[in-house]
């Protein structure tokens, strides 16, 4: 397996204005991620995990330093270019699944492909395949409010993966799930990681998640405290 | 654009009741605007047709000394038109007079008209000669106010050419029904030959009514006023009524638009996470602004569709059967039929659709602009106030 850098962060710093002064949420972060990595950010609440994921996902820009994602300098992207980057290359999974409530499961998963102007038959094929990955092909016509938590998060995974993005960002994806569902979606993601070569970056407090990760980056007060590569019992499963 | 339409459609249909409430008020405003304007247009159309048929013909050729707005000009405002110019014209001679129904004096306008004229709808063929009295016809309104019926005789006084009073009985030979108050109220029609004889004004006319074949030309001492110019006053009255009724429906529309505006503001506030999700999934912020704007516009499109479903049969029915109005034409001062047949023209309908759609788009766009300034990270957290 060749190690191709897909994300590189150089001295990435993020400051938020707070009252009179500023709050430093990220403090000179230097990290690189290679293609196909299955890694996670861990750290106490407020350590900057979400802030860092948002910058990698081009939803936010660093105050200082340089974040390069799939060859794009995040800070210099126009609104349009960053939207395109997200639409084609980056998938998001959130703690609350953020499914679009008025759409069916099928339509939710189809959404990114609609934005890509794919034809109806291309969309249908890709959506059904994605629903197969998560084992919810029979749920295509259901509305999100009819789904259980585990099913909802699986649909969110299908929606993030349907476009076969290079990078998948999952911000505390298991925080609202019970243990069985958490393991089930982690296994699914691990499988997709291996089959599609997608780079996964998690943020988590969850011990269960950590058992699947190949690399754990510990953040504290906006700084990288420890960056460890580990051999885990769930990695091969 | 197609995508935004598709998404907006899904969002609105998915939102259920909230959508249909907005669509409901918009539809109501939409139908009211068309309904009220259709009545006014129908009234206008009818008033014009009736006034042309009963009074204006294709235009009036007025004696230059006669001013329709000055009753004192009746005394001298008449003359003889040379024979070669009389083609397609039928003379009317006006004189002041008074009648004495039930012993009280009523001032009237005597109108001499040719018995065999065909230009106006005044039923002159009903003038039947009578040995003892002058045949006269009056309108229903005049008949009611003077309590005169067909066959009644009543004393008429007028001044002859020398200014001396003369008197003779007239007999009511017909009472006609018209929507045009200006040929009815306070007027007595008699054959012009009688009026010539009574006043000694042989061959005189105050004005001539032109028929369709009449070609206007310059004639000394006579002024031609075309049908269009004659209808000008009527147009003004109708357009005044239109602008006063427009206040009502603009208010209605404003209420409907306020409902849309309100929904939009609330929607943008409540759907922050959804907006953040759209951006995370790769929509640009301006695409999201467009989506929300189109959602608002779509209320008006739904309203148009539902308005058509309700309106087409309803308005078609009304335009066929007409609508009864309690006010009499005399109160309005211009022609108004008992039944008005509303006219729903294509320009009225398209104009209303455009008004509703454009205004709904504007009130949807105004709050949606806020989305462009929204930070997607904050939106995803649902933190924006
Ligand atoms: N827009 C903002 N304005 C001010 N401070 C902010 C803003 N966004 C984040 N912060 C602060 O930055 C710090 C890092 O936040 P972040 O959300 O990245 O933490 P986190 O590691 O994801 O925490 P959690 O585990 O609770 O999700 C926090 O202290 C937070 O209060
Ligand atoms: Mg977080």
């Amino acid at each position: 397996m060749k190690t191709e850098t897909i994300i590189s962060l150089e001295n990435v710093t993020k400051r938020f204005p707070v009252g009179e002064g500023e709050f430093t949420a990220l403090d000179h972060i230097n990290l690189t991620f290679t293609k196909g990595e299955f890694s996670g950010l861990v750290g106490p609440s407020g350590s900057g995990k979400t802030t860092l994921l948002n910058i990698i996902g081009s939803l936010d820009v660093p105050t200082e330093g340089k974040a390069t994602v799939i060859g794009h300098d995040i800070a210099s992207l126009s609104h349009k270019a960053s939207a395109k980057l997200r639409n084609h290359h980056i998938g998001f999974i959130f703690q609350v699944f953020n499914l679009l409530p008025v759409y069916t499961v099928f339509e939710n998963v189809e959404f990114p492909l609609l934005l890509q102007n794919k034809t109806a038959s291309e969309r249908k094929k890709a959506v059904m395949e994605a629903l197969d990955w998560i084992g919810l092909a029979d749920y295509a016509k259901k509305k999100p409010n009819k789904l259980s938590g585990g099913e909802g998060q699986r649909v969110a995974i299908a929606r993030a993966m349907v476009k076969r993005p290079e990078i998948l960002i999952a911000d505390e994806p298991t925080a609202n799930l019970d243990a069985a569902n958490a393991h089930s979606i982690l296994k699914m993601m691990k499988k997709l990681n291996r089959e599609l070569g997608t780079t996964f970056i998690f943020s988590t407090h969850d011990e269960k998640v950590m058992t699947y990760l190949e690399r754990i980056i510990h953040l504290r007060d906006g700084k990288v405290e420890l960056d460890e590569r580990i051999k885990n019992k769930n990695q091969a499963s | 654009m197609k995508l935004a339409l598709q998404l907006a459609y899904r969002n609105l249909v998915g939102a259920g009741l909230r959508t249909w409430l907005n669509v409901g008020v918009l539809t109501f405003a939409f139908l009211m605007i068309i309904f009220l304007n259709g009545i006014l247009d129908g009234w206008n159309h009818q008033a014009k047709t009736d006034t042309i048929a009963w009074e204006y013909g294709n235009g009036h050729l007025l004696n230059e000394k006669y001013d329709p707005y000055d009753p004192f000009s009746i005394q001298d405002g008449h003359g003889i038109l040379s024979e070669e110019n009389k083609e397609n014209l039928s003379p009317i001679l006006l004189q002041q007079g008074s009648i004495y129904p039930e012993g009280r004096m009523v001032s009237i306008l005597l109108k001499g008209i040719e018995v065999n004229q065909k230009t106006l709808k005044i039923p002159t063929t009903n003038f039947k000669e009578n040995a003892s009295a002058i045949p006269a016809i009056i309108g229903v309104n005049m008949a009611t106010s003077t309590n005169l019926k067909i066959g009644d005789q009543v004393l008429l006084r007028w001044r002859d050419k020398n200014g001396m009073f003369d008197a003779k009985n007239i007999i009511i030979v017909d009472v006609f029904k018209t929507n045009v108050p200006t040929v009815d109220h306070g007027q007595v029609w008699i054959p012009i030959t009688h009026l010539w004889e009574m006043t000694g004004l042989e061959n005189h006319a105050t004005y001539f009514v032109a028929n369709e074949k009449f070609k206007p030309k310059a004639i000394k001492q006579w002024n031609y006023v075309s049908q269009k110019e004659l209808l000008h006053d009527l147009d003004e009255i109708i357009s005044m009524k239109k602008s006063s009724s427009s206040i009502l429906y603009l208010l209605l529309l404003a209420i409907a638009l306020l409902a849309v505006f309100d929904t939009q503001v609330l929607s943008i506030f409540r759907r922050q996470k959804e907006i953040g999700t759209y951006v995370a999934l790769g929509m640009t912020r301006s695409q999201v602004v467009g989506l929300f704007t189109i959602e608002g516009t779509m209320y008006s499109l739904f309203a148009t569709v539902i308005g058509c479903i309700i309106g087409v049969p309803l308005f078609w029915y009304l335009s066929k059967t007409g609508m009864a109005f309690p006010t009499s034409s005399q109160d309005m001062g211009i022609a108004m039929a008992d039944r008005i047949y509303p006219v729903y023209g294509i320009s009225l309908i398209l104009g209303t659709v455009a008004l509703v759609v454009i205004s709904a788009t504007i009130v949807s766009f105004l709050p949606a602009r806020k989305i462009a300034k929204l930070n997607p990270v904050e939106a995803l957290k649902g933190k924006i106030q």
Side-chain angles (χ1 to χ4, degrees):
Chain A
M1 203 164 106
K2 73 173 195 252
T3 53
E4 187 185 323
T5 301
I6 190 162
I7 299 160
S8 89
L9 308 173
E10 294 165 55
N11 290 320
V12 166
T13 299
K14 182 74 185 178
R15 295 194 187 92
F16 293 109
V18 183
E20 308 269 282
E22 277 181 332
F23 176 81
T24 307
L26 295 175
D27 193 358
H28 295 89
I29 302 278
N30 286 291
L31 284 172
T32 56
F33 294 86
T34 52
K35 224 169 174 224
E37 257 187 310
F38 202 77
S39 59
L41 309 174
V42 300
S45 186
S47 55
K49 303 183 294 292
T50 300
T51 307
L52 187 58
L53 289 185
N54 285 337
I55 289 172
I56 295 170
S58 83
L59 287 172
D60 210 345
V61 291
T63 322
E64 256 174 52
K66 192 172 177 191
T68 313
V69 178
I70 319 176
H72 300 279
D73 176 6
I74 292 300
S76 67
L77 288 179
S78 66
H79 279 322
K80 224 176 148 177
S82 78
K84 194 172 170 199
L85 178 68
R86 286 190 296 275
N87 184 214
H88 287 266
H89 305 295
I90 304 174
F92 287 90
I93 296 171
F94 306 96
Q95 176 178 341
V96 290
F97 323 134
N98 282 339
L99 296 176
L100 302 168
V102 302
Y103 296 178
T104 61
V105 164
F106 185 95
E107 289 164 345
N108 262 285
V109 177
E110 184 189 24
F111 191 94
L113 303 177
L114 278 173
L115 294 181
Q116 291 180 359
N117 293 319
K118 288 265 190 330
T119 66
S121 64
E122 286 173 322
R123 294 199 304 264
K124 180 151 196 227
K125 187 164 167 278
V127 171
M128 290 321 290
E129 193 177 0
L131 290 177
D132 269 339
W133 293 336
I134 58 158
L136 289 180
D138 298 339
Y139 285 50
K141 291 202 172 65
K142 283 209 172 161
K143 283 278 170 76
N145 58 7
K146 296 276 185 299
L147 303 176
S148 71
E151 288 162 356
Q153 194 61 302
R154 276 146 77 187
V155 173
I157 293 172
R159 182 177 65 183
M161 291 301 295
V162 70
K163 61 198 180 194
R164 297 165 183 261
E166 274 91 332
I167 301 169
L168 191 128
I169 290 171
D171 194 357
E172 315 215 19
T174 58
N176 284 352
L177 301 178
D178 59 34
N181 275 309
H183 281 292
S184 148
I185 71 145
L186 282 162
K187 285 199 183 94
M188 250 166 225
M189 291 200 273
K190 186 80 208 150
K191 188 161 171 262
L192 289 167
N193 164 251
R194 249 187 282 110
E195 284 173 11
L196 304 177
T198 314
T199 308
F200 277 70
I201 307 175
F202 289 79
S203 100
T204 191
H205 294 287
D206 187 348
E207 297 290 339
K208 292 186 289 300
V209 178
M210 294 178 210
T211 62
Y212 288 83
L213 299 177
E214 299 163 358
R215 175 186 181 193
I216 298 179
I217 299 155
H218 297 263
L219 290 185
R220 183 176 293 275
D221 299 333
K223 294 196 183 78
V224 178
E225 200 183 38
L226 177 66
D227 183 354
E228 53 174 351
R229 278 161 213 281
I230 41 178
K231 203 100 191 91
N232 255 316
K233 65 172 162 72
N234 281 321
Q235 277 172 25
S237 63
Chain B
M1 185 68 184
K2 182 173 158 247
L3 174 67
L5 279 172
Q6 218 170 327
L7 298 180
Y9 178 83
R10 280 182 191 174
N11 286 344
L12 289 200
V13 172
L17 188 64
R18 183 161 46 93
T19 299
W20 300 117
L21 281 175
N22 280 326
V23 172
V25 283
L26 269 177
T27 308
F28 186 65
F30 175 70
L31 289 176
M32 272 316 261
I33 294 172
I34 294 180
F35 175 73
L36 291 174
N37 276 292
I39 290 175
L40 288 170
D41 285 348
W43 177 14
N44 186 11
H45 177 79
Q46 233 165 316
K48 278 186 178 172
T49 324
D50 287 348
T51 310
I52 289 166
W54 287 91
E55 190 178 14
Y56 290 161
N58 201 29
H60 284 177
L61 186 67
L62 304 177
N63 185 274
E64 64 174 5
K65 285 187 283 217
Y66 171 62
D67 173 2
Y69 297 105
D70 175 13
F72 294 108
S73 69
I74 290 174
Q75 191 65 37
D76 299 314
H78 48 76
I80 297 177
L81 185 64
S82 56
E83 210 52 49
E84 75 267 21
N85 288 326
K86 278 188 182 163
E87 206 187 357
N88 296 319
L89 289 171
S90 105
I92 307 276
L93 179 61
L94 306 186
Q95 287 292 295
Q96 307 276 13
S98 45
I99 54 173
Y100 296 83
E102 297 164 330
R104 74 197 153 93
M105 189 185 97
V106 177
S107 291
I108 56 140
L109 186 63
L110 261 180
K111 281 186 162 174
I113 185 167
E114 274 181 336
V115 174
N116 55 7
Q117 65 84 29
K118 293 199 177 60
T119 316
L120 298 183
K121 256 172 107 176
I122 309 289
T124 49
T125 48
N126 293 340
F127 280 129
K128 280 186 287 291
E129 285 305 325
N130 183 292
S132 61
I134 302 162
I137 55 179
I138 54 176
V140 169
N141 187 265
M142 180 66 176
T144 322
S145 67
T146 54
N147 220 348
L148 288 169
K149 299 180 298 295
I150 293 177
D152 283 356
Q153 292 207 12
V154 66
L155 185 70
L156 168 72
R157 275 192 1 139
W158 73 95
R159 283 172 198 265
D160 68 14
K161 146 168 99 176
N162 306 318
M164 304 299 284
F165 276 111
D166 204 344
K168 202 172 177 189
N169 268 359
I170 56 170
I171 177 167
I172 307 298
V173 294
D174 194 16
V175 174
F176 61 86
K177 186 165 165 28
T178 178
N179 304 317
V180 184
T182 43
V183 298
D184 180 342
H185 196 69
Q187 311 201 359
V188 173
W189 297 83
I190 60 172
I192 197 166
T193 46
H194 281 275
L195 194 54
W196 284 340
E197 208 178 297
M198 285 152 63
T199 54
L201 297 169
E202 195 76 24
N203 284 323
H204 277 251
T206 309
Y207 62 88
F208 288 83
V209 181
N211 69 14
E212 275 105 65
K213 290 193 214 105
F214 178 75
K215 296 264 175 330
K217 58 182 170 182
I219 301 169
K220 245 193 152 136
Q221 289 170 356
W222 295 85
N223 298 325
Y224 181 68
V225 184
S226 70
Q227 183 190 75
K228 210 174 149 203
E229 290 164 305
L230 288 169
L231 287 171
H232 184 72
D233 287 354
L234 203 67
D235 282 333
E236 287 216 319
I237 292 173
I238 295 282
S239 74
M240 240 168 62
K241 297 229 179 288
K242 267 199 166 170
S243 55
S244 63
S245 80
S246 71
I247 292 174
L248 172 71
Y249 68 69
L250 287 179
L251 210 70
L252 245 163
L253 184 65
I255 292 169
L257 292 176
L258 203 69
V260 172
F261 184 82
D262 214 48
T263 309
Q264 286 291 99
V265 172
L266 192 72
S267 183
I268 288 162
F269 179 74
R270 284 196 349 188
R271 292 163 66 190
Q272 284 178 44
K273 285 198 172 186
E274 185 182 327
I275 292 168
T277 308
Y278 287 136
V279 175
L281 291 176
M283 272 177 110
T284 62
R285 283 178 235 186
S286 46
Q287 269 178 308
V288 183
V289 172
L291 172 62
F292 276 71
T293 307
I294 288 177
E295 276 186 29
T297 309
M298 208 165 259
Y299 287 122
S300 63
L301 297 180
F302 284 177
T304 305
V305 171
I306 295 177
C308 285
I309 293 170
I310 301 172
V312 167
L314 177 71
F315 293 145
W316 183 82
Y317 175 79
L318 287 178
S319 70
K320 289 284 166 266
T321 59
M323 294 182 64
F325 282 87
T327 19
S328 86
S329 54
Q330 309 300 327
D331 299 336
M332 301 307 300
I334 59 168
M336 182 173 179
D338 308 339
R339 235 166 215 291
I340 287 185
Y341 294 84
V343 174
Y344 297 106
I346 193 82
S347 62
L348 168 63
I349 292 166
L350 291 183
T352 311
V353 170
L355 175 70
V356 172
V357 171
I358 291 170
S359 54
T361 306
I362 292 170
V363 298
S364 310
F365 175 66
L366 294 179
R369 278 181 317 176
K370 197 179 162 201
I371 296 170
K373 297 194 203 86
L374 224 121
N375 180 341
V377 173
E378 301 287 292
L380 274 168
K381 288 180 188 159
K383 267 194 181 165
I384 292 140
Q385 295 309 308

